[in-house]
Amino acid sequence: MGNCELHLIKGKPIVPEGDDLVVGHISIDSDNVLGALDKLQKMNVPFRKNSSVPAGADAGSMNTNANDDMMSDKIVTQFFVRDPDGYYIEVCNCDETLTKYCLGEKDALPGYEEGVKPFSFATASVTISLMQRWVAKLDARRDQTKTLSEKVKKETDGSVEEIAKLLGYTPACEVDATILQTLKDRHSIYSDIWQNEEVDDIESVLVAAGNGKL
């Protein structure tokens, strides 16, 4: 991939806030990731373990404690620390467990199986029929969304409160803490609809929409 350069520029760091690990970072691959973890612990360096990386079916549990069967060599092990400026640095065993597999240098990855068995004619027929029904529903939903979008533009000022009122919601007095926590937890799910939203924005939507109750 050519030469790599690291430019250190004096200035105000622009670092990610909160606990979201789905952000830009520097990754350092290690052939002894547990040894690296041991050094971090001995030096009392705070670190976080990423437990959202896909694991093979036989990779063991996906607990959040970095001291049990999630240390299996069948999964990608990642530890994140912050440098003095707040940037994330990842220490992982990606090369052995994932990178080589993705680049075609490794034929198999424990717990993963590529391909499916051939469909029977009956199964294929049912699958096609279901897909046709799903496409029809998708087209109908797309038309509904387009109509609603045009109505929102014409009848509201674009604010959360106005849109919620148009949809028939009655504002709540306060946010439902349980629903809010559930949506906050979804921040760690890659590409989730809430991932780029701030907590204050989520609270505003919930209150305006009566916590989702019509």
Side-chain angles (χ1 to χ4, degrees), residues 85-106:
D85 286 327
Y87 294 101
Y88 274 122
I89 297 178
E90 169 194 356
V91 180
C92 71
N93 61 346
C94 303
D95 190 51
E96 285 300 321
T97 57
L98 187 59
T99 304
K100 289 183 178 179
Y101 178 72
C102 293
L103 296 177
E105 298 175 5
K106 193 173 184 179

Side-chain angles (χ1 to χ4, degrees), residues 26 29 38 49 82 117 175 193 195 206:
I26 297 174
D29 189 84
D38 183 59
K49 173 74 177 66
R82 285 185 183 263
K117 296 180 180 179
V175 68
I193 189 173
Q195 195 165 51
L206 285 175

Side-chain angles (χ1 to χ4, degrees), residues 53-62 69 72 74-75 109-113:
V53 174
D58 60 347
S61 66
M62 290 302 286
D69 58 355
S72 166
K74 298 175 182 177
I75 66 174
L109 194 62
Y112 289 85
E113 181 178 351

Side-chain angles (χ1 to χ4, degrees), residues 36-64:
L37 169 62
D38 183 59
K39 289 186 177 181
L40 290 176
Q41 292 174 324
K42 287 181 178 179
M43 296 171 65
N44 294 319
V45 176
F47 67 88
R48 293 185 58 211
K49 173 74 177 66
N50 184 17
S51 59
S52 66
V53 174
D58 60 347
S61 66
M62 290 302 286
N63 300 314
T64 55

